[in-house]
Amino acid sequence: MTIIKQEDLIQSIADALQFISYYHPVDFIKSLAAAYEREQAPAARDAIAQLLINSRMCAEGHRPICQDTGIVSVFLKIGREVHFEGALPLEEMVNEGVRRAYLLPENKLRASVLSDPAGARKNTRDNTPAVLNVSIVEGDKLDVIVAAKGGGSEAKSKFAMLNPSDSIVEWVLKTVPTMGAGWCPPGMLGIGIGGTAEKAMLLAKESLMDPIDIQALQARGAKNRAEELRLELYEKVNALGIGAQGLGGLTTVLDVKVKDYPTHAANLPVAMIPNCAATRHAHFVLDGTGPVALKPPSLEDWPKLTYSPQNARRVNLDTVTREDVQTWKPGEVILLNGRLLTGRDAAHKRMTDMLNRGEKLPVDFTNRFIYYVGPVDPVREEVMGPAGPTTATRMDKFTRQMLEQTGLLGMVGKAERGPVAIEAIKDNKAVYLMAVGGAAYLVAKAIKKSRVLAFEDLGMEAIYEFTVEDMPVTVAVDSKGTSVHQTGPAEWQAKIVQIEKAKK
């Protein structure tokens, strides 16, 4: 019999969550670096460079890769000969580990978990509870996988109950473009096939915990139908041309994972869950000898890159005019300087409610830019913690009212805008700028001052005013309504066809 002490499990989970908050898995870094070397699309290459630089900065500074430090999933495989020593139930041990990790003063992580999800949606303040999956296996060890999954990628999870004669490949290729770029590609796709609806979803999530090994699979060849699907989907999803951050390019996925399970003769359940560019998971085993200390990767595993965008336009946010904005071109890199307002879902809901009641807003948005962000609290000498963008489409329904009733000039966020927002941007001769999702620490370094202006009770969703220096963004929707998230993938899908023809 193996005795696992309560404290050993709690501390191991806490340490693992801190570890994955600032260390990417080495397989991910090497795969992303290879994608950077292959990439031919300038905008996508620029985005991947920011991701790699941000990742190395986080490894050096022990600060979160992304401001969305995720909802925690823990997978426990408990050997039949394992006994737990301690007063807490197993689930509470796991949650105490999460609590310690997210409240650690040296690297406090953002609490994003809300209780009463269909009602008050009140923040639990410590990111508990975790989502726990437990299985009993043979042996005398406790096998643990800890993952922190960002809300942007989790929101793009898909499920379908196909007919047995339907094509899984066709469903995936039809579905991936509908996911947009809010899942922050390039990342991984986890595919779960079979079982029941809930089993397929669990298979898809579990598959994302495996290391990236598609190149090794390509080299040796498939041994079963699941591996054949991996190879086919990897090639065909990348041929869609969606590219890094949805800007168009050669690499949309770094790997595709497939797990299957026997299913009913009448059913073909298929689940697809993406993992974003902030891939975070760790695997360790407890054997009763104490807590586990994960081994940090070497900084030599990261490519040595510097970020210096070519031909970028430097903009003063304090003096920019609507006439200036109309000269900005789709895909152009802009370096923002000056005062930048922030606000996301809760702030927008509160502001539009105030406008509907005829009340004056606490902040003047005339000719200002708003950044869709929920930052991590600062530590040590920081002005602001990691502060990468959140998914902009969630603010689409507020966009027209904000542009037309507040004098707002432009917005900064992550991924594409939907047709409703694009039409509002065009009608108001405004602009939407895209920051790279998954480069949160790099963005934070551009923030030189920060203060809360309104809605302090909303915590990370309050309205801040950042003073920024050379914050890199891309013109994603110009004042004429041209969206690079539409033009970029279309252009590169056609180019990839030509590249493949040339190979033959």
Side-chain angles (χ1 to χ4, degrees):
M1 177 183 291
T2 297
I3 296 176
I4 305 292
K5 293 181 180 178
Q6 172 180 294
E7 180 62 19
D8 291 347
L9 176 57
I10 291 172
Q11 195 57 49
S12 294
I13 288 174
D15 290 346
L17 287 168
Q18 277 286 315
F19 185 95
I20 64 176
S21 77
Y22 44 75
Y23 287 133
H24 266 127
V26 172
D27 58 279
F28 179 87
I29 288 301
K30 291 185 175 180
S31 184
L32 190 62
Y36 172 77
E37 294 299 329
R38 290 193 304 270
E39 189 55 68
Q40 298 176 29
R45 187 174 168 87
D46 178 272
I48 296 173
Q50 289 190 51
L51 292 171
L52 287 166
I53 292 166
N54 179 78
S55 178
R56 185 184 175 96
M57 289 170 62
C58 294
E60 292 171 332
H62 285 195
R63 291 295 273 145
I65 293 164
C66 181
Q67 80 289 338
D68 182 352
T69 49
I71 184 169
V72 176
S73 290
V74 177
F75 299 84
L76 299 181
K77 292 183 179 179
I78 305 172
R80 290 166 59 90
E81 298 175 47
V82 168
H83 175 74
F84 293 97
E85 181 181 273
L88 293 177
L90 183 60
E91 188 169 4
E92 285 307 308
M93 294 184 206
V94 170
N95 286 335
E96 179 57 27
V98 174
R99 190 173 293 114
R100 284 189 194 179
Y102 279 73
L103 298 180
L104 185 71
E106 293 81 17
N107 184 38
K108 190 175 180 181
L109 306 179
R110 197 184 83 181
S112 302
V113 172
L114 309 179
S115 63
D116 192 14
R121 293 180 66 84
K122 185 178 180 181
N123 198 303
T124 64
R125 300 293 182 183
D126 57 11
N127 228 53
T128 64
V131 177
L132 180 61
N133 297 277
V134 179
S135 57
I136 306 298
V137 298
E138 293 298 325
D140 59 357
K141 304 287 193 304
L142 174 62
D143 186 280
V144 184
I145 294 176
V146 175
K149 189 70 156 53
S153 61
E154 191 70 4
K156 303 301 182 180
S157 301
K158 303 294 181 182
F159 173 80
M161 187 64 78
L162 302 181
N163 291 319
S165 60
D166 290 342
S167 166
I168 293 171
V169 172
E170 286 182 9
W171 177 78
V172 170
L173 295 179
K174 178 181 69 177
T175 304
V176 168
T178 70
M179 290 159 48
W183 61 281
C184 289
M188 297 167 63
L189 289 180
I191 312 289
I193 304 169
T196 53
E198 78 280 8
K199 180 65 175 179
M201 293 299 286
L202 184 58
L203 289 168
K205 180 62 68 68
E206 285 179 326
S207 75
L208 294 172
M209 304 300 113
D210 292 339
I212 295 174
D213 63 353
I214 193 72
Q215 282 74 29
L217 178 58
Q218 287 174 320
R220 71 165 169 81
K223 296 181 179 178
N224 52 48
R225 179 56 183 151
E227 290 185 347
E228 289 173 356
L229 277 172
R230 285 184 63 193
L231 292 172
E232 184 176 1
L233 288 171
Y234 175 75
E235 178 183 341
K236 290 182 176 179
V237 170
N238 281 325
L240 294 172
I242 294 167
Q245 303 290 302
L247 295 168
L250 299 179
T251 302
T252 302
V253 289
L254 300 173
D255 202 344
V256 177
K257 299 294 186 181
V258 175
K259 283 183 179 286
D260 59 18
Y261 193 85
T263 193
H264 192 283
N267 302 145
L268 180 55
V270 184
M272 178 165 60
I273 303 179
N275 222 4
C276 64
T279 292
R280 292 168 296 209
H281 58 84
H283 182 187
F284 59 89
V285 175
L286 292 176
D287 60 5
T289 59
V292 168
L294 296 171
K295 183 181 178 182
S298 167
L299 288 177
E300 296 302 314
D301 292 319
W302 278 264
K304 293 179 174 62
L305 300 175
T306 57
Y307 186 68
S308 54
Q310 302 297 313
N311 304 316
R313 186 192 300 236
R314 189 169 275 105
V315 169
N316 186 340
L317 292 169
D318 299 328
T319 60
V320 68
T321 67
R322 200 165 295 273
E323 290 70 30
D324 294 332
V325 163
Q326 292 178 55
T327 69
W328 298 358
K329 305 298 182 185
E332 183 178 7
V333 176
I334 303 286
L335 299 177
L336 300 179
N337 291 269
R339 294 174 299 156
L340 177 65
L341 299 173
T342 80
R344 44 179 282 166
D345 310 63
H348 276 75
K349 178 65 167 62
R350 188 174 293 185
M351 286 189 290
T352 53
D353 286 347
M354 291 177 70
L355 290 170
N356 291 338
R357 294 192 297 265
E359 297 173 10
K360 183 179 179 181
L361 297 183
V363 177
D364 184 2
F365 286 90
T366 305
N367 288 335
R368 302 292 297 273
F369 278 71
I370 191 167
Y371 181 28
Y372 302 148
V373 63
V376 176
D377 290 341
V379 300
R380 300 185 291 274
E381 75 289 348
E382 291 178 346
V383 171
M384 181 51 65
T390 197
T391 306
T393 49
R394 297 204 310 274
M395 267 53 72
D396 281 5
K397 62 183 178 182
F398 305 115
T399 297
R400 182 172 291 277
Q401 187 172 15
M402 287 294 294
L403 290 175
E404 294 181 353
Q405 295 186 26
T406 73
L408 186 69
L409 184 55
M411 301 142 287
V412 183
K414 179 183 82 174
E416 74 282 351
R417 304 307 299 265
V420 169
I422 292 173
E423 195 66 25
I425 291 167
K426 178 182 177 182
D427 290 347
N428 289 276
K429 294 183 170 57
V431 69
Y432 167 61
L433 308 173
M434 189 210 79
V436 172
Y441 199 36
L442 180 64
V443 171
K445 292 298 184 181
I447 301 170
K448 305 305 178 183
K449 293 180 183 178
S450 172
R451 61 178 180 137
V452 176
L453 295 187
F455 307 155
E456 189 170 5
D457 62 298
L458 296 180
M460 61 97 173
E461 295 210 54
I463 297 178
Y464 291 80
E465 182 181 74
F466 293 161
T467 300
V468 298
E469 289 183 9
D470 285 352
M471 175 178 163
V473 293
T474 299
V475 179
V477 181
D478 72 353
S479 61
K480 298 179 181 63
T482 302
S483 169
V484 297
H485 287 98
Q486 295 171 359
T487 59
E491 175 188 350
W492 278 92
Q493 186 173 19
K495 286 185 176 181
I496 289 169
V497 170
Q498 296 304 315
I499 291 170
E500 292 304 314
K501 284 183 178 178
K503 287 181 181 178
K504 296 174 181 178

PDB file of all heavy atoms in Angstrom, residues 13 68 102 105 170 181 233 266 281 296 302 307 312 346 364 368 417:
ATOM      1  N   ILE A  13      -0.100  19.974  -6.617  1.00  0.00           N
ATOM      2  CA  ILE A  13      -1.032  20.617  -7.546  1.00  0.00           C
ATOM      3  C   ILE A  13      -0.777  22.115  -7.602  1.00  0.00           C
ATOM      4  O   ILE A  13      -0.749  22.721  -8.690  1.00  0.00           O
ATOM      5  CB  ILE A  13      -2.491  20.302  -7.141  1.00  0.00           C
ATOM      6  CG1 ILE A  13      -2.805  18.843  -7.468  1.00  0.00           C
ATOM      7  CG2 ILE A  13      -3.477  21.242  -7.852  1.00  0.00           C
ATOM      8  CD1 ILE A  13      -4.157  18.371  -7.002  1.00  0.00           C
ATOM      9  N   ASP A  68      -5.569  35.386 -19.096  1.00  0.00           N
ATOM     10  CA  ASP A  68      -6.578  34.394 -18.749  1.00  0.00           C
ATOM     11  C   ASP A  68      -5.847  33.155 -18.260  1.00  0.00           C
ATOM     12  O   ASP A  68      -5.389  32.336 -19.061  1.00  0.00           O
ATOM     13  CB  ASP A  68      -7.450  34.075 -19.964  1.00  0.00           C
ATOM     14  CG  ASP A  68      -8.549  33.070 -19.639  1.00  0.00           C
ATOM     15  OD1 ASP A  68      -8.542  32.518 -18.517  1.00  0.00           O
ATOM     16  OD2 ASP A  68      -9.405  32.831 -20.506  1.00  0.00           O
ATOM     17  N   TYR A 102      -3.385  30.029  -7.102  1.00  0.00           N
ATOM     18  CA  TYR A 102      -3.934  31.262  -7.666  1.00  0.00           C
ATOM     19  C   TYR A 102      -3.802  32.464  -6.731  1.00  0.00           C
ATOM     20  O   TYR A 102      -3.861  33.611  -7.185  1.00  0.00           O
ATOM     21  CB  TYR A 102      -5.387  31.043  -8.086  1.00  0.00           C
ATOM     22  CG  TYR A 102      -5.464  30.373  -9.443  1.00  0.00           C
ATOM     23  CD1 TYR A 102      -5.141  29.027  -9.604  1.00  0.00           C
ATOM     24  CD2 TYR A 102      -5.788  31.095 -10.585  1.00  0.00           C
ATOM     25  CE1 TYR A 102      -5.162  28.417 -10.842  1.00  0.00           C
ATOM     26  CE2 TYR A 102      -5.812  30.499 -11.832  1.00  0.00           C
ATOM     27  CZ  TYR A 102      -5.495  29.157 -11.964  1.00  0.00           C
ATOM     28  OH  TYR A 102      -5.492  28.568 -13.203  1.00  0.00           O
ATOM     29  N   PRO A 105       1.241  35.158  -3.517  1.00  0.00           N
ATOM     30  CA  PRO A 105       1.561  36.585  -3.680  1.00  0.00           C
ATOM     31  C   PRO A 105       2.640  36.869  -4.720  1.00  0.00           C
ATOM     32  O   PRO A 105       2.589  37.886  -5.412  1.00  0.00           O
ATOM     33  CB  PRO A 105       2.021  37.005  -2.269  1.00  0.00           C
ATOM     34  CG  PRO A 105       1.394  36.011  -1.347  1.00  0.00           C
ATOM     35  CD  PRO A 105       1.366  34.721  -2.106  1.00  0.00           C
ATOM     36  N   GLU A 170     -15.180  15.749 -43.080  1.00  0.00           N
ATOM     37  CA  GLU A 170     -16.008  16.829 -43.627  1.00  0.00           C
ATOM     38  C   GLU A 170     -16.580  17.703 -42.516  1.00  0.00           C
ATOM     39  O   GLU A 170     -16.643  18.926 -42.645  1.00  0.00           O
ATOM     40  CB  GLU A 170     -17.142  16.240 -44.475  1.00  0.00           C
ATOM     41  CG  GLU A 170     -16.676  15.700 -45.819  1.00  0.00           C
ATOM     42  CD  GLU A 170     -17.835  15.162 -46.647  1.00  0.00           C
ATOM     43  OE1 GLU A 170     -19.003  15.369 -46.245  1.00  0.00           O
ATOM     44  OE2 GLU A 170     -17.573  14.524 -47.683  1.00  0.00           O
ATOM     45  N   ALA A 181     -11.081  33.018 -34.829  1.00  0.00           N
ATOM     46  CA  ALA A 181      -9.721  33.019 -34.278  1.00  0.00           C
ATOM     47  C   ALA A 181      -9.716  33.237 -32.774  1.00  0.00           C
ATOM     48  O   ALA A 181      -8.662  33.425 -32.179  1.00  0.00           O
ATOM     49  CB  ALA A 181      -8.884  34.101 -34.956  1.00  0.00           C
ATOM     50  N   LEU A 233      -6.398  15.182 -41.044  1.00  0.00           N
ATOM     51  CA  LEU A 233      -6.932  16.436 -40.515  1.00  0.00           C
ATOM     52  C   LEU A 233      -5.847  17.485 -40.330  1.00  0.00           C
ATOM     53  O   LEU A 233      -6.070  18.678 -40.569  1.00  0.00           O
ATOM     54  CB  LEU A 233      -7.651  16.180 -39.187  1.00  0.00           C
ATOM     55  CG  LEU A 233      -8.986  15.463 -39.306  1.00  0.00           C
ATOM     56  CD1 LEU A 233      -9.501  15.052 -37.924  1.00  0.00           C
ATOM     57  CD2 LEU A 233     -10.012  16.331 -40.020  1.00  0.00           C
ATOM     58  N   ALA A 266     -26.231   3.082 -33.610  1.00  0.00           N
ATOM     59  CA  ALA A 266     -27.024   4.141 -34.244  1.00  0.00           C
ATOM     60  C   ALA A 266     -26.340   5.503 -34.179  1.00  0.00           C
ATOM     61  O   ALA A 266     -26.850   6.472 -34.749  1.00  0.00           O
ATOM     62  CB  ALA A 266     -28.400   4.236 -33.571  1.00  0.00           C
ATOM     63  N   HIS A 281      -0.287  22.519 -19.465  1.00  0.00           N
ATOM     64  CA  HIS A 281      -0.596  21.277 -18.753  1.00  0.00           C
ATOM     65  C   HIS A 281       0.689  20.642 -18.262  1.00  0.00           C
ATOM     66  O   HIS A 281       1.777  20.875 -18.808  1.00  0.00           O
ATOM     67  CB  HIS A 281      -1.388  20.307 -19.633  1.00  0.00           C
ATOM     68  CG  HIS A 281      -0.708  19.931 -20.920  1.00  0.00           C
ATOM     69  ND1 HIS A 281       0.224  18.919 -21.018  1.00  0.00           N
ATOM     70  CD2 HIS A 281      -0.835  20.430 -22.167  1.00  0.00           C
ATOM     71  CE1 HIS A 281       0.647  18.816 -22.272  1.00  0.00           C
ATOM     72  NE2 HIS A 281       0.019  19.729 -22.986  1.00  0.00           N
ATOM     73  N   PRO A 296      12.235  22.587 -14.467  1.00  0.00           N
ATOM     74  CA  PRO A 296      12.052  23.681 -15.433  1.00  0.00           C
ATOM     75  C   PRO A 296      12.768  23.389 -16.747  1.00  0.00           C
ATOM     76  O   PRO A 296      13.831  22.750 -16.762  1.00  0.00           O
ATOM     77  CB  PRO A 296      12.682  24.890 -14.736  1.00  0.00           C
ATOM     78  CG  PRO A 296      12.770  24.518 -13.293  1.00  0.00           C
ATOM     79  CD  PRO A 296      12.943  23.030 -13.268  1.00  0.00           C
ATOM     80  N   TRP A 302      14.118  27.897 -26.165  1.00  0.00           N
ATOM     81  CA  TRP A 302      13.416  28.975 -26.863  1.00  0.00           C
ATOM     82  C   TRP A 302      14.318  29.608 -27.921  1.00  0.00           C
ATOM     83  O   TRP A 302      15.514  29.808 -27.673  1.00  0.00           O
ATOM     84  CB  TRP A 302      12.999  30.071 -25.881  1.00  0.00           C
ATOM     85  CG  TRP A 302      11.732  29.795 -25.139  1.00  0.00           C
ATOM     86  CD1 TRP A 302      10.483  30.219 -25.454  1.00  0.00           C
ATOM     87  CD2 TRP A 302      11.596  29.042 -23.929  1.00  0.00           C
ATOM     88  NE1 TRP A 302       9.572  29.787 -24.516  1.00  0.00           N
ATOM     89  CE2 TRP A 302      10.220  29.064 -23.582  1.00  0.00           C
ATOM     90  CE3 TRP A 302      12.492  28.349 -23.113  1.00  0.00           C
ATOM     91  CZ2 TRP A 302       9.734  28.425 -22.443  1.00  0.00           C
ATOM     92  CZ3 TRP A 302      12.004  27.714 -21.987  1.00  0.00           C
ATOM     93  CH2 TRP A 302      10.645  27.750 -21.664  1.00  0.00           C
ATOM     94  N   TYR A 307      11.608  41.635 -30.944  1.00  0.00           N
ATOM     95  CA  TYR A 307      10.446  42.142 -31.672  1.00  0.00           C
ATOM     96  C   TYR A 307      10.691  43.578 -32.099  1.00  0.00           C
ATOM     97  O   TYR A 307      10.802  44.481 -31.269  1.00  0.00           O
ATOM     98  CB  TYR A 307       9.187  42.072 -30.814  1.00  0.00           C
ATOM     99  CG  TYR A 307       7.941  42.451 -31.604  1.00  0.00           C
ATOM    100  CD1 TYR A 307       7.487  41.631 -32.618  1.00  0.00           C
ATOM    101  CD2 TYR A 307       7.266  43.635 -31.350  1.00  0.00           C
ATOM    102  CE1 TYR A 307       6.373  41.969 -33.377  1.00  0.00           C
ATOM    103  CE2 TYR A 307       6.150  43.981 -32.102  1.00  0.00           C
ATOM    104  CZ  TYR A 307       5.712  43.138 -33.104  1.00  0.00           C
ATOM    105  OH  TYR A 307       4.623  43.480 -33.856  1.00  0.00           O
ATOM    106  N   ALA A 312       6.261  50.010 -39.042  1.00  0.00           N
ATOM    107  CA  ALA A 312       5.103  50.226 -38.186  1.00  0.00           C
ATOM    108  C   ALA A 312       4.811  51.717 -38.065  1.00  0.00           C
ATOM    109  O   ALA A 312       5.719  52.551 -38.084  1.00  0.00           O
ATOM    110  CB  ALA A 312       5.353  49.623 -36.803  1.00  0.00           C
ATOM    111  N   ALA A 346     -18.584  42.851 -18.642  1.00  0.00           N
ATOM    112  CA  ALA A 346     -19.387  43.408 -17.558  1.00  0.00           C
ATOM    113  C   ALA A 346     -19.452  44.927 -17.637  1.00  0.00           C
ATOM    114  O   ALA A 346     -20.507  45.527 -17.395  1.00  0.00           O
ATOM    115  CB  ALA A 346     -18.825  42.970 -16.207  1.00  0.00           C
ATOM    116  N   ASP A 364     -15.436  59.708 -20.220  1.00  0.00           N
ATOM    117  CA  ASP A 364     -15.657  60.320 -21.525  1.00  0.00           C
ATOM    118  C   ASP A 364     -14.897  59.526 -22.586  1.00  0.00           C
ATOM    119  O   ASP A 364     -13.666  59.444 -22.541  1.00  0.00           O
ATOM    120  CB  ASP A 364     -15.189  61.781 -21.503  1.00  0.00           C
ATOM    121  CG  ASP A 364     -15.487  62.510 -22.809  1.00  0.00           C
ATOM    122  OD1 ASP A 364     -16.090  61.889 -23.720  1.00  0.00           O
ATOM    123  OD2 ASP A 364     -15.094  63.687 -22.942  1.00  0.00           O
ATOM    124  N   ARG A 368     -11.646  58.377 -28.083  1.00  0.00           N
ATOM    125  CA  ARG A 368     -10.756  57.490 -27.328  1.00  0.00           C
ATOM    126  C   ARG A 368     -10.812  56.074 -27.901  1.00  0.00           C
ATOM    127  O   ARG A 368     -11.710  55.716 -28.678  1.00  0.00           O
ATOM    128  CB  ARG A 368     -11.161  57.446 -25.845  1.00  0.00           C
ATOM    129  CG  ARG A 368     -11.180  58.785 -25.121  1.00  0.00           C
ATOM    130  CD  ARG A 368      -9.789  59.382 -24.933  1.00  0.00           C
ATOM    131  NE  ARG A 368      -8.922  58.576 -24.105  1.00  0.00           N
ATOM    132  CZ  ARG A 368      -8.857  58.663 -22.764  1.00  0.00           C
ATOM    133  NH1 ARG A 368      -9.660  59.523 -22.113  1.00  0.00           N
ATOM    134  NH2 ARG A 368      -8.000  57.932 -22.076  1.00  0.00           N
ATOM    135  N   ARG A 417     -13.997  40.308 -35.789  1.00  0.00           N
ATOM    136  CA  ARG A 417     -15.294  40.896 -35.448  1.00  0.00           C
ATOM    137  C   ARG A 417     -16.343  40.285 -36.355  1.00  0.00           C
ATOM    138  O   ARG A 417     -16.083  39.952 -37.511  1.00  0.00           O
ATOM    139  CB  ARG A 417     -15.293  42.422 -35.624  1.00  0.00           C
ATOM    140  CG  ARG A 417     -14.227  43.181 -34.849  1.00  0.00           C
ATOM    141  CD  ARG A 417     -14.204  42.874 -33.367  1.00  0.00           C
ATOM    142  NE  ARG A 417     -15.422  43.187 -32.651  1.00  0.00           N
ATOM    143  CZ  ARG A 417     -15.631  44.336 -31.989  1.00  0.00           C
ATOM    144  NH1 ARG A 417     -14.698  45.275 -31.981  1.00  0.00           N
ATOM    145  NH2 ARG A 417     -16.745  44.526 -31.310  1.00  0.00           N
TER     146      ARG A 417
END
